[in-house]
């Protein structure tokens, strides 16, 4: 055998060894929370991750809410497993907070990717994360190299678009709503949409409303951001700061009111709600701050049946992404593929936190210590500086 022949045989063996060394297991358990029907990955996304070298394990029936079968994931290279086997992976993705029983089944020192809901976290669940030394990462706090928050932004865009699509459907229902269109009919006055905030979610909602022919009023106390939003959306929008009289006029005439995240949230009290017209559709996209309509009952939009009659009392619809979980899954898949490409370039989950500052700032428990102030307060502990822990690990 010549030297050239020997090198032709050895090189593929070295490549195969390298692939085995960087293979990371990724668990996709079914969401245990009724408050979140979204799923992080589509079969097409799983196929790409498997080709990158991930060992993807999905719990049987986990993607039923987005109408994908186990067979579709299996065909793309995923292993359909039990919940325990999915939880025992190196990285677990579960968008809602995990319960203590599930956390105790996770591999010690594993990484958990979820959305940070401080209001849903309880003492014994956080302590379970600390006991298992789980590296908990809030995907909505992850930043890219330009300082953007890709997961948070895409979820807000989905919710913003969904808010107007759902409101339009509810208004058009002869039983649930008024049997009216938002606009676009010659000789008929269009509906009015009032949007609180001017960020990504607000712009998405406003864009949808304008496209349907509605009159749009947008409010925010961040003058620079509302100026930018008005420039992007064009002359069809009326933008204003939160002047009480201007806001009162907009709320009085609104057929749809949508509250979106703001730097300084403005709460609409019961007196202001009382001046709104009958049949107004009220929605709140905020999920990590105090509700914008504290006097109203919050209702998960995915539990509402439009075949039923409209509620007699005003209520506020939340969790709008739950009503379009497949669209959310497609959007999340694109973002997770970028994240996983970065993770697989590192040698382990701990090194991922060390080498990727955008993930480091999103960690809330690390190797048995809380490193996020809100999470530390839940267990009445002092938050640790993650940089000190990284230097010691």
């Amino acid at each position: 055998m010549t030297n050239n022949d020997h090198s032709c045989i050895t090189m593929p063996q070295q490549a195969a060894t390298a692939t085995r060394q960087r293979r990371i297991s990724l668990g996709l358990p079914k969401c245990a929370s009724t408050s979140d029907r979204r799923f992080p990955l589509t079969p097409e996304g799983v196929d790409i991750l498997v080709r990158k070298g991930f060992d993807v394990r999905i719990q049987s029936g986990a993607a039923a809410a987005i109408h994908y079968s186990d067979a579709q994931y299996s065909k793309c290279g995923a292993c359909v497993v039990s919940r325990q086997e999915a939880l025992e992976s190196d990285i677990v993705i579960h968008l809602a907070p995990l319960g203590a029983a599930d956390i105790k089944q996770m591999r010690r020192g594993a990484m958990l990717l979820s959305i940070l809901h401080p209001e849903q976290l309880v003492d014994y669940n956080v302590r379970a994360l600390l006991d298992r030394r789980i590296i908990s990462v809030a995907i909505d706090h992850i930043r890219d190299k330009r300082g953007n928050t890709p997961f948070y932004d895409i979820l807000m865009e989905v919710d913003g678009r969904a808010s107007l699509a759902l409101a339009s459907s509810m208004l058009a229902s002869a039983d649930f709503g008024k049997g009216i269109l938002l606009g676009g009919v010659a000789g008929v006055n269009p509906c009015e949409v009032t949007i609180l905030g001017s960020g990504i979610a607000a712009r998405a909602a406003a864009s949808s409303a304008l496209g349907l022919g509605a009159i749009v009023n947008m409010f925010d106390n961040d003058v620079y951001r509302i100026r930018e939003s008005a420039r992007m959306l064009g002359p069809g929008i009326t933008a204003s700061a939160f002047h009480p009289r201007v806001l009162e006029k907009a709320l009085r005439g609104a057929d749809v009111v949508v509250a979106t995240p703001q730097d300084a949230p403005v709460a609409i009290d019961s007196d202001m709600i009382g001046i709104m017209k009958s049949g107004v559709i009220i929605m709140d996209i905020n999920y990590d701050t105090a509700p914008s309509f504290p006097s109203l009952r919050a209702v998960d939009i995915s539990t509402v049946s439009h075949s039923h009659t409209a509620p007699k009392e005003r209520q506020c619809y939340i969790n709008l992404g739950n009503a379009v979980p497949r669209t959310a899954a497609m959007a999340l898949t694109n973002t997770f593929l970028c994240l996983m490409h970065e993770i697989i370039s590192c040698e382990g989950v701990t090194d991922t936190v060390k080498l990727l500052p955008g993930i480091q700032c999103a960690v809330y428990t690390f190797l048995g210590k809380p490193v996020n102030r809100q999470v530390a307060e839940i267990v009445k502990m002092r938050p640790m500086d993650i940089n000190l822990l990284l230097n010691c690990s």
Side-chain angles (χ1 to χ4, degrees):
M1 182 181 294
T2 66
N3 288 336
N4 289 339
D5 290 338
H6 181 72
S7 62
C8 290
I9 296 173
T10 303
M11 288 177 65
Q13 289 176 336
Q14 291 173 342
T17 301
T19 301
R20 286 196 298 270
Q21 288 175 342
R22 60 184 175 88
R23 195 166 185 83
I24 300 173
S25 58
L26 177 64
L28 302 173
K30 184 176 182 179
C31 186
S33 171
T34 57
S35 65
D36 203 326
R37 302 178 61 199
R38 297 169 296 186
F39 195 71
L41 289 169
T42 63
E44 293 82 359
V46 166
D47 179 66
I48 294 172
L49 291 179
V50 169
R51 292 175 185 273
K52 285 182 178 291
F54 282 94
D55 172 20
V56 181
R57 306 169 183 176
I58 181 171
Q59 180 185 349
S60 179
I66 59 172
H67 304 286
Y68 283 119
S69 66
D70 293 343
Q72 288 173 291
Y73 282 92
S74 180
K75 185 178 180 180
C76 291
C79 296
V80 180
V81 298
S82 66
R83 184 172 188 81
Q84 180 177 346
E85 290 174 294
L87 289 167
E88 290 173 347
S89 303
D90 299 320
I91 301 173
V92 174
I93 306 178
H94 190 275
L95 299 181
L98 272 179
D102 285 332
I103 295 168
K104 290 176 182 177
Q105 295 187 64
M106 291 182 65
R107 186 177 64 79
R108 190 173 179 82
M111 176 179 282
L112 172 63
L113 299 175
S114 64
I115 298 173
L116 181 59
H117 291 280
E119 74 284 355
Q120 295 181 20
L121 290 174
V122 293
D123 179 275
Y124 52 85
N125 288 347
V126 176
R127 292 192 182 278
L129 292 170
L130 300 178
D131 291 342
R132 298 298 297 168
R133 298 174 67 84
I134 302 299
I135 301 173
S136 309
V137 181
I139 60 170
D140 48 319
H141 288 204
I142 292 175
R143 295 188 175 275
D144 63 17
K145 295 178 180 178
R146 292 168 291 184
N148 299 317
T149 49
F151 285 95
Y152 179 82
D153 292 348
I154 195 63
L155 290 173
M156 287 295 99
E157 186 172 358
V158 170
D159 284 2
R161 291 282 181 182
S163 67
L164 263 294
L166 295 166
S168 176
S169 175
M170 294 166 81
L171 282 176
S173 170
D175 297 322
F176 190 94
K178 295 181 177 180
I180 59 175
L181 295 173
L182 277 176
V185 178
V188 179
N189 285 339
C191 289
E192 293 187 29
V193 176
T194 295
I195 299 174
L196 310 181
S198 60
I200 288 179
R203 290 197 296 269
S207 179
S208 294
L210 290 171
L212 292 169
I215 296 171
V216 179
N217 300 298
M218 178 179 285
F219 292 85
D220 201 325
N221 279 329
D222 187 330
V223 177
Y224 287 96
R225 187 163 65 180
I226 200 167
R227 179 189 292 129
E228 177 66 12
S229 295
R231 185 191 65 78
M232 294 173 64
L233 293 165
I237 187 173
T238 301
S240 172
F242 278 104
H243 294 299
R245 290 185 180 179
V246 180
L247 177 61
E248 179 181 339
K249 181 181 178 181
L251 291 175
R252 192 182 294 275
D255 298 282
V256 178
V257 179
V258 181
T260 67
Q262 306 153 57
D263 292 337
V266 173
I268 306 301
D269 59 28
S270 57
D271 290 338
M272 295 289 277
I273 291 172
I275 68 173
M276 296 183 193
K277 64 171 66 173
S278 175
V280 62
I281 305 297
I282 302 172
M283 298 185 168
D284 196 337
I285 292 176
N286 293 279
Y287 72 92
D288 58 353
T289 58
S292 298
F293 308 95
S295 64
L296 295 181
R297 184 170 71 94
V299 177
D300 190 323
I301 191 71
S302 64
T303 65
V304 176
S305 173
H306 295 181
S307 62
H308 296 166
T309 57
K312 295 180 180 180
E313 296 181 356
R314 290 197 177 103
Q315 51 194 25
C316 177
Y317 300 104
I318 60 172
N319 294 338
L320 305 180
N322 270 350
V324 289
R326 187 153 171 163
T327 294
M330 293 175 180
L332 283 169
T333 294
N334 295 335
T335 316
F336 270 116
L337 289 177
C338 296
L339 175 63
M340 293 302 163
H341 176 74
E342 292 185 312
I343 288 177
I344 205 167
S345 66
C346 304
E347 295 183 359
V349 291
T350 302
D351 287 332
T352 295
V353 178
K354 286 183 178 180
L355 299 174
L356 301 177
I359 292 181
Q360 187 180 129
C361 66
V363 175
Y364 57 96
T365 68
F366 185 74
L367 302 182
K369 302 294 182 182
V371 293
N372 174 281
R373 180 185 56 80
Q374 290 178 295
V375 174
E377 288 176 353
I378 294 170
V379 289
K380 297 179 174 58
M381 295 175 65
R382 181 179 298 177
M384 291 285 294
D385 185 342
I386 191 171
N387 292 306
L388 296 176
L389 298 175
L390 287 169
N391 290 333
C392 297
S393 62

